[in-house]
């Protein structure tokens, strides 16, 4: 098979067969293709797209490019949640132990911060000792015995995605629906999950700016999953404001702990966590209907069972055994704190979440204990006595840069504003 001929065909708008896509993936993993050849194919796919059968073929080939985990002998379903990324999106830290407490097993392969969005692995690394790259046996034991483990992608899981993603990142070819679909689903399928919920974000802090693109991705994720026997549903959720009132690595871990223990549960986070969790409990038969699922999730939070799973996971993966009781002793705290006040009184009308996320990313780059807290939401009244956010920074200079970014990210109105709906749409099974 001549690879240049495949690139030419795709560039001309033709389709590639399952065999040809398997050849592409195999040659990529065996290092028989250069980065420029892979980049040329990615560009052709970005421009000409792929049909359903091609996307299924590419996803399956990428899944099979490394180990495919098996979870025989467990007494519950193996599930996962994926988010397209946002700001203050702490749901993974809450949902993995919560689902484990409800009887599911969650081998969660998470990512690092990308652009303006936070990364679950970076957040977990704010916990002293937490190992995001344990040996495969340690990861699997944690899932089997605790019910959940949140770790990074290993060398052996979907290695084709690692190479292809790196080349896409360098060649500006990330924003392709079939390539994103194959990338996300191949990793989940290789992790051996049988049910998946995907949180696709929309709004100023989402990766995809246009709702039409978001819908196209959503439909592809559901359709390709169905062809590969993965029960996937997608919730389209709002990212026109940060989901949590905090953004930052240690700050979000602390927020998740407060949520799990019940010390503080913000309604917006609760609504999204329960909606995502309910999808998985229903699709796997752990709950019969939405209300039962919500009741089970809330009971697992209120009993402390979810918090205990989180603590056990942290300890198993190298963190302290008593993180929940001694949170402030273990998590780093930035030295400088400052309130950001608006120039005038008003109601928050819109937030440039991308800019806010970039500012948070800059803060955490020098200090894992840095970021924002008390971030004002759309509709909140702000003024000289009511800040837009509180900044945690490593230095006064960092705080000043972040303060300017926060102020510029907020648009105020004179009259009350209604906040956006949090769960906008659902696409999925039945
Ligand atoms: N997340 C992934 O895992 N892959 C992509 O291609 C885009 C987002």
């Amino acid at each position: 098979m001549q690879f240049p001929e495949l690139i030419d065909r795709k560039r001309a708008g033709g389709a590639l067969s399952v065999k040809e896509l398997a050849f592409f993936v195999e040659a990529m993993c065996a290092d028989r293709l250069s980065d420029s050849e892979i980049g040329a194919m990615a560009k052709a796919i970005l421009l000409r797209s792929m049909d359903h059968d091609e996307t299924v073929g590419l996803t399956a080939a990428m899944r099979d490019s490394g180990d495919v985990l098996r979870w025989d002998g467990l007494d519950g379903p193996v599930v996962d949640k994926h988010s397209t990324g946002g700001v203050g999106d702490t749901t993974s830290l809450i949902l993995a132990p919560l689902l484990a407490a409800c009887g599911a097993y969650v081998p969660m392969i998470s990512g690092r911060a990308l652009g303006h969005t936070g990364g679950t692995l970076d957040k977990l690394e704010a916990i002293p000792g937490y190992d995001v790259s344990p040996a495969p046996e340690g990861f699997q034991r944690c899932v089997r015995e605790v019910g959940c483990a949140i770790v990074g992608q290993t060398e052996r899981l979907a290695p084709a995605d690692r190479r292809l993603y790196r080349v896409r990142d360098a060649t500006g070819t990330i924003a392709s629906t079939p390539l994103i679909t194959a990338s996300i689903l191949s990793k989940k399928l290789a992790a051996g999950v049988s049910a998946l919920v995907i949180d696709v974000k929309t709004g100023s802090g989402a990766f995809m700016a246009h709702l039409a693109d978001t819908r196209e991705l959503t439909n592809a994720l559901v359709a390709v999953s169905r062809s590969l026997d993965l029960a996937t549903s997608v919730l389209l959720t709002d990212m026109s404001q940060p989901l949590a009132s905090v953004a930052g690595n240690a700050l979000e871990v602390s927020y998740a702990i407060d949520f799990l223990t019940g010390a503080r549960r913000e309604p917006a986070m609760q609504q999204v966590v329960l909606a995502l969790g309910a999808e998985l409990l229903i699709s796997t038969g752990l709950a019969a209907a939405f209300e039962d699922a919500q009741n089970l999730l809330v009971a697992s939070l209120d009993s402390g069972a979810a918090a205990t799973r989180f603590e056990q996971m942290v300890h198993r993966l190298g963190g302290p055994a008593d993180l929940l009781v001694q949170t402030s002793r273990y998590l780093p705290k930035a030295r400088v704190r400052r309130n950001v006040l608006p120039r005038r009184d008003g109601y928050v009308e819109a937030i440039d979440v991308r800019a806010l996320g970039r500012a948070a990313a800059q803060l955490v780059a020098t200090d894992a204990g840095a970021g924002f807290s008390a971030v004002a939401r759309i509709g909140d009244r702000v003024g000289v006595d009511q800040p837009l956010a509180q900044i945690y920074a490593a230095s006064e200079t960092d705080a000043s840069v972040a303060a300017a970014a926060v102020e510029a990210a907020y648009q105020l109105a004179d009259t009350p504003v209604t906040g956006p709906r949090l769960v906008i749409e659902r696409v999925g099974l039945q």
Side-chain angles (χ1 to χ4, degrees):
M1 215 175 281
Q2 292 300 312
F3 193 64
E5 192 265 317
L6 300 188
I7 298 174
D8 284 348
R9 174 140 38 93
K10 183 38 76 186
R11 208 174 33 222
L16 301 175
S17 69
V18 167
K19 223 166 149 184
E20 288 164 341
L21 288 160
F23 166 77
F24 167 49
V25 168
E26 194 272 323
M28 185 162 56
C29 291
D31 248 344
R32 291 201 309 275
L33 297 178
S34 66
D35 281 359
S36 29
E37 286 172 305
I38 297 169
M41 179 58 94
K43 185 87 182 273
I45 294 171
L46 175 86
L47 294 176
R48 294 301 197 159
S49 195
M50 294 205 297
D51 65 22
H52 174 79
D53 290 345
E54 289 177 288
T55 313
V56 171
L58 179 63
T59 308
M62 284 168 59
R63 171 197 63 196
D64 297 336
S65 65
D67 292 350
V68 177
L69 300 184
R70 292 179 57 97
W71 298 99
D72 302 332
L74 294 180
D75 59 359
V78 182
V79 307
D80 198 1
K81 186 262 340 185
H82 179 84
S83 161
T84 56
V87 177
D89 180 11
T90 317
T91 48
S92 291
L93 300 184
I94 298 168
L95 207 49
L98 176 54
L99 289 163
C102 293
Y105 291 85
V106 193
M108 191 177 271
I109 311 291
S110 291
R112 297 219 169 256
L114 203 60
H116 66 284
T117 65
T120 299
L121 299 184
D122 305 291
K123 295 170 199 174
L124 287 167
E125 279 182 343
I127 302 170
Y130 192 104
D131 182 3
V132 298
S133 323
E137 299 70 31
F139 164 57
Q140 292 189 41
R141 207 171 320 116
C142 188
V143 173
R144 284 184 179 277
E145 293 173 12
V146 176
C148 60
I150 310 177
V151 300
Q153 189 179 356
T154 66
E155 295 285 331
R156 282 153 50 178
L157 276 191
D161 176 64
R162 290 172 80 89
R163 176 114 200 251
L164 183 54
Y165 193 90
R166 197 168 42 72
V167 173
R168 286 167 60 207
D169 200 22
T171 53
T173 51
I174 293 286
S176 149
T177 294
L179 291 178
I180 296 174
T181 302
S183 170
I184 293 173
L185 294 182
S186 62
K187 285 175 285 199
K188 301 299 175 190
L189 289 160
V193 307
S194 56
L196 177 66
V197 63
I198 305 182
D199 183 1
V200 174
K201 303 288 188 189
T202 180
S204 64
F207 261 109
M208 287 190 163
H210 304 294
L211 197 56
D213 295 340
T214 309
R215 288 225 165 87
E216 184 188 82
L217 176 64
T218 298
N219 292 335
L221 287 165
V222 172
V224 171
S225 294
R226 190 172 287 141
S227 293
L228 292 169
D229 281 335
L230 177 60
T232 295
S233 54
V234 176
L235 293 187
L236 205 62
T237 70
D238 176 68
M239 192 36 71
S240 62
Q241 57 185 335
L243 181 55
S245 63
V246 303
N249 295 342
L251 286 164
E252 289 188 52
V253 172
S254 179
Y255 178 95
I257 291 172
D258 282 350
F259 190 99
L260 288 165
T261 59
R264 180 171 64 141
R265 277 190 201 138
E266 291 179 346
M269 179 62 76
Q270 170 137 338
Q271 191 185 330
V272 173
V273 161
L274 296 187
L276 292 166
E279 288 293 326
L280 287 170
L281 296 188
I282 295 167
S283 70
T284 56
L286 286 172
F290 193 70
E291 208 182 324
D292 305 319
Q294 298 244 322
N295 290 341
L296 179 55
L297 291 161
V298 170
S300 303
L301 283 168
D302 290 348
S303 68
T308 300
R309 299 290 176 134
F310 181 79
E311 191 167 51
Q312 289 171 340
M313 173 186 77
V314 166
H315 188 43
R316 277 301 178 95
L317 295 175
D322 56 348
L323 180 66
L324 262 51
V325 281
Q326 305 231 51
T327 309
S328 59
R329 183 179 144 211
Y330 291 114
L331 294 180
K333 270 182 242 58
R335 194 174 56 80
V336 176
R337 286 186 204 176
R338 194 188 291 181
N339 282 338
V340 189
L341 296 172
R343 291 234 171 95
R344 66 180 184 93
D345 290 358
Y347 296 89
V348 176
E349 184 175 41
I351 306 171
D352 181 346
V353 180
R354 190 171 279 258
L356 210 59
R358 273 199 302 265
Q362 253 179 334
L363 286 170
V364 298
T366 46
D367 190 336
F372 302 125
S373 75
V375 175
R377 301 182 69 72
I378 294 175
D380 282 357
R381 172 130 185 87
V382 293
V384 284
D385 55 346
Q386 192 55 49
L388 297 170
Q390 185 175 34
I391 291 175
Y392 293 68
S395 68
E396 293 291 349
T397 312
D398 282 4
S400 298
V401 172
V406 171
E407 209 189 299
Y410 274 83
Q411 190 178 314
L412 303 185
D414 295 324
T415 48
V417 174
T418 312
R421 269 192 23 231
L422 293 171
V423 178
I424 295 157
E425 212 169 283
R426 170 183 186 280
V427 182
L429 321 162
Q430 82 260 332

